[in-house]
């Protein structure tokens, strides 16, 4: 049976292209297709599969030229195109093709690119990326995400100097003025462009990223993740538990959940709304200030200062020498993270990983003046004969630490991991250093590290970079924990995590 499981898979059937009743029809397989269409000045239509197997069969109305990777279809009578990519992680690539086109991704994590003629993109099941970089065309585009975590990305390459208006509301009112695209509510994430954009979410959980420009983001309902990107932005959460995301910032940021234009990097002047409950810092040494409501503040990298004015909050320093001010009269959960951290807290707060803990407000530490010591009277110094030293030979420690995963979710949702990260609780039989890595089929997507004392239950938060968080897809991931004791002995624990 094992030999069967390890046997190489059979070659996938080839994708096919044909023309019938005015429709150019491409049908994919269960493998990974990368379909490209090209037509110049009304000439023949060239179709190529740049996928892993590069397999493409010419059906009725098309032919394969010997020695060429293209299938060639005469354009006479062709009025539109239908691209059915099938199962697998597929791509429909940007090309020069002006005719109306419907692209269906099918099952799998697909990337569907807009072209001059595309007017319908259907992601299908899986975590799909719908690229709308081609800009406005003669036919308004319709975007459906389907089941999974899907993203519509506008404007990174299209060069528009005019701002976009994007809204997840099933209404044909998206793109630049007059473009008339329709991004449907089964899309979970929106990317803006390089100008001044307005991004509007839905009643459900959304991720809005303005990229560059002076953007306005409105989460509306649901638990939303809002990132303005560069320049001066306005972030409005609406109903639900919303988080301002500065995790991609390399510069130190200051964020306060007060609705004032005093947020972001120096001179940025973002306005994070008072209806936002949480904030993520970035790679620099950040200052994050919450509100009187219950919330979430995470510093991530850098030597961060986290200030909690009130409410029952989750406060995390993560990496760096952090200072957390949590003395607010409410019960908070505090995880200082790695390195040398300091916390000021209430007696009811639960704090882990903090090197210096003060119960009370900042500045309440008592530093008594030293008592002068009396001048000692010199005494006669007796002659000292050192004892014969007997060397103590201790056996070398060659026993690896015993460790146990105390808590880990058997499965998680992509949207939850993107907003809150991933945590695992580990217990170690002795003092040990812990390194954790979450890996998918394309490599490591999140990392974390920490130190656990003997018998201590240590909670680790694995950090996703901005790039890996955007690239996170449903599937099975491997969590690898490496534990090292003071003698350098290692233990390794491997667990599987299913992300849906």
């Amino acid at each position: 049976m094992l030999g069967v499981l390890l046997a190489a898979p059979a070659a996938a059937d080839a994708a096919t292209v044909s023309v019938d009743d005015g429709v150019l029809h491409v049908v994919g397989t269960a493998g990974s297709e990368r379909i490209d269409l090209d037509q110049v000045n009304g000439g023949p239509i060239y179709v190529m599969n740049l996928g892993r197997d590069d397999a493409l069969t010419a059906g009725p109305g098309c032919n394969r030229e010997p020695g060429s990777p293209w299938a060639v279809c005469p354009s006479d009578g062709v009025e539109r195109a239908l691209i059915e990519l099938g199962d697998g992680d597929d791509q429909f690539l940007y090309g020069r093709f002006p005719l109306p086109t419907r692209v269906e991704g099918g099952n799998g994590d697909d990337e569907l690119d807009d072209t001059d003629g595309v007017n319908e993109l259907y992601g299908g099941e899986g975590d799909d990326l719908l690229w709308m970089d081609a800009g406005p065309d003669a036919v308004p585009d319709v975007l459906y995400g389907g089941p999974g975590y899907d993203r519509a990305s506008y404007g990174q390459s299209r060069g528009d100097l005019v701002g976009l208006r994007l809204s997840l509301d099933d209404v044909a009112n998206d793109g630049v003025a007059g473009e008339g695209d329709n991004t449907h509510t089964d899309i979970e994430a929106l990317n803006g462009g390089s100008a001044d954009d307005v991004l509007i979410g839905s009643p459900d959980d959304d991720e809005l990223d303005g990229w560059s420009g002076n953007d306005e983001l409105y989460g509306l309902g649901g638990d939303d993740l809002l990132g303005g990107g560069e320049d001066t932005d306005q972030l409005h959460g609406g109903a639900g538990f919303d988080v301002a995301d500065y995790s991609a910032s390399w510069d130190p940021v200051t964020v306060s959940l007060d609705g004032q234009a005093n947020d972001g990097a120096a001179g940025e002047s973002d306005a994070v709304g008072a209806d936002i409950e949480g904030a993520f810092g970035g790679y620099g040494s950040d200052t994050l200030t919450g509100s009187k409501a219950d919330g979430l503040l995470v510093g991530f990298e850098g030597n961060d200062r986290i200030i909690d004015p009130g409410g029952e909050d989750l406060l995390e320093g993560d990496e760096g020498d952090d200072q957390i001010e949590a003395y607010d009269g409410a019960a908070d959960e505090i995880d200082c993270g790695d390195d040398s951290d300091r916390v000021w807290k209430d007696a009811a707060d639960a704090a882990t990983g903090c090197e210096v803990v003060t119960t009370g407000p900042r500045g309440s530490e008592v530093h008594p003046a030293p008592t002068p010591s009396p001048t000692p009277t010199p005494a006669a110094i007796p002659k000292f004969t050192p004892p014969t030293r007997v060397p103590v030979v201790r056996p070398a420690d060659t026993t690896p630490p015993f460790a146990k995963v105390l808590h880990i979710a058997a499965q998680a949702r992509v949207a939850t991991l993107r907003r809150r990260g991933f945590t695992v609780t580990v217990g170690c039989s002795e003092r040990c250093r812990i390194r954790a890595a979450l890996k998918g089929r394309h490599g490591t997507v999140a990392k974390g590290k920490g130190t656990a004392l003997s018998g201590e239950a240590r909670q680790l938060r694995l950090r996703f970079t901005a790039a890996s968080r955007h690239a996170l897809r449903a599937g099975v991931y491997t969590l690898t924990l490496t534990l090292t004791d003071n003698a350098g002995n290692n233990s390794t624990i491997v667990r599987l995590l299913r992300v849906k």
Side-chain angles (χ1 to χ4, degrees), residues 112 121-123 128-132 143-145 151-153 187:
L112 311 181
L121 296 178
Y122 292 80
D128 306 308
L129 178 60
L130 311 179
W131 283 102
M132 302 301 297
L143 284 68
Y144 289 92
R151 178 182 302 273
S153 184
I187 293 172

Side-chain angles (χ1 to χ4, degrees), residues 13-18 24-39 45-58 62 64 69-73 81-97 101-106 109-115 118 121 131:
D13 294 334
T16 61
V17 56
S18 60
L24 176 79
H25 191 190
V26 176
V27 180
T29 68
S32 296
E33 265 74 49
R34 299 180 69 218
I35 300 298
D36 184 25
L37 305 183
D38 192 72
Q39 182 188 29
I45 303 168
Y46 292 84
V47 183
M48 176 181 277
N49 181 10
L50 302 173
R52 191 172 303 165
D53 300 319
D54 300 332
L56 182 65
T57 297
C62 303
R64 287 292 300 268
W70 298 91
V72 183
C73 307
L82 171 61
I83 313 298
E84 297 177 293
L85 296 174
D87 295 343
D89 299 340
D90 306 307
Q91 287 182 284
F92 178 75
L93 302 173
Y94 173 80
R96 297 172 297 181
F97 187 71
T101 304
R102 174 183 174 121
V103 183
E104 300 179 2
D109 302 337
D110 307 309
E111 177 184 322
L112 311 181
D113 296 356
D114 182 29
T115 69
V118 164
L121 296 178
W131 283 102

Side-chain angles (χ1 to χ4, degrees), residues 76-387:
D76 294 342
V78 177
E79 300 175 353
R80 60 189 180 91
L82 171 61
I83 313 298
E84 297 177 293
L85 296 174
D87 295 343
D89 299 340
D90 306 307
Q91 287 182 284
F92 178 75
L93 302 173
Y94 173 80
R96 297 172 297 181
F97 187 71
L99 297 180
T101 304
R102 174 183 174 121
V103 183
E104 300 179 2
N107 294 338
D109 302 337
D110 307 309
E111 177 184 322
L112 311 181
D113 296 356
D114 182 29
T115 69
D116 293 339
V118 164
N119 65 318
E120 295 179 80
L121 296 178
Y122 292 80
E125 186 169 346
D127 298 338
D128 306 308
L129 178 60
L130 311 179
W131 283 102
M132 302 301 297
D133 280 2
D137 50 39
V139 182
D141 301 310
V142 180
L143 284 68
Y144 289 92
Y149 193 93
D150 308 302
R151 178 182 302 273
S153 184
Y154 275 76
Q156 281 71 12
S157 304
R158 59 199 278 172
D160 292 341
L161 298 178
V162 180
L164 297 155
R165 184 190 185 279
L166 307 175
S167 55
L168 300 174
D169 57 4
D170 298 324
V171 179
N173 55 5
D174 302 305
V176 300
E179 187 168 357
D181 289 354
N182 189 344
T183 54
H184 280 264
T185 54
D186 58 354
I187 293 172
E188 287 76 24
L190 288 175
N191 288 354
S194 57
D196 302 342
D197 306 320
V198 177
L199 275 59
I200 304 173
S202 73
D204 299 318
D205 300 347
D206 306 308
E207 180 183 344
L208 307 180
D209 192 338
W211 289 71
S212 58
N214 302 325
D215 306 310
E216 298 179 36
L217 277 56
Y218 298 87
L220 300 185
D223 299 342
D224 305 310
L225 185 66
L226 310 177
E230 301 174 358
D231 303 308
T232 300
D233 308 304
Q234 301 177 36
L235 278 57
H236 306 275
F241 191 96
D242 308 304
V243 176
D245 184 11
Y246 286 87
S247 62
S249 176
W250 289 95
D251 297 321
V253 298
T254 298
V255 182
S256 54
L257 308 181
D258 57 6
Q260 302 299 311
N262 54 6
D263 304 303
E268 193 168 357
S269 300
D270 289 349
V272 175
D275 57 352
I276 290 178
E277 289 74 25
F280 290 160
Y283 294 93
S285 297
D286 309 313
T287 300
L288 309 179
T289 303
S291 67
K292 297 289 186 180
D294 299 346
L296 167 70
L297 300 174
V298 182
F300 290 132
E301 284 87 349
N303 303 326
D304 305 310
R305 183 181 180 187
I306 297 176
I307 304 170
D308 174 21
E312 298 182 1
D313 302 290
L314 175 60
L315 311 172
E316 298 186 11
D318 204 65
E319 298 184 14
D321 300 337
D322 305 309
Q323 300 181 31
I324 301 178
E325 302 171 34
Y327 185 78
D328 60 353
D332 304 306
E333 183 179 341
I334 305 166
D335 185 353
C336 287
D338 299 330
D339 303 310
S340 180
D341 307 303
R342 185 161 194 168
V343 63
W344 294 264
K345 72 180 194 70
D346 299 281
D349 293 343
T352 60
C354 308
E355 282 69 29
V356 180
V357 178
T358 299
T359 301
R362 183 170 187 144
S364 63
E365 302 87 348
V366 178
H367 303 287
T371 303
S373 302
T375 302
T377 302
I381 301 176
K383 186 177 181 180
F384 174 72
T385 302

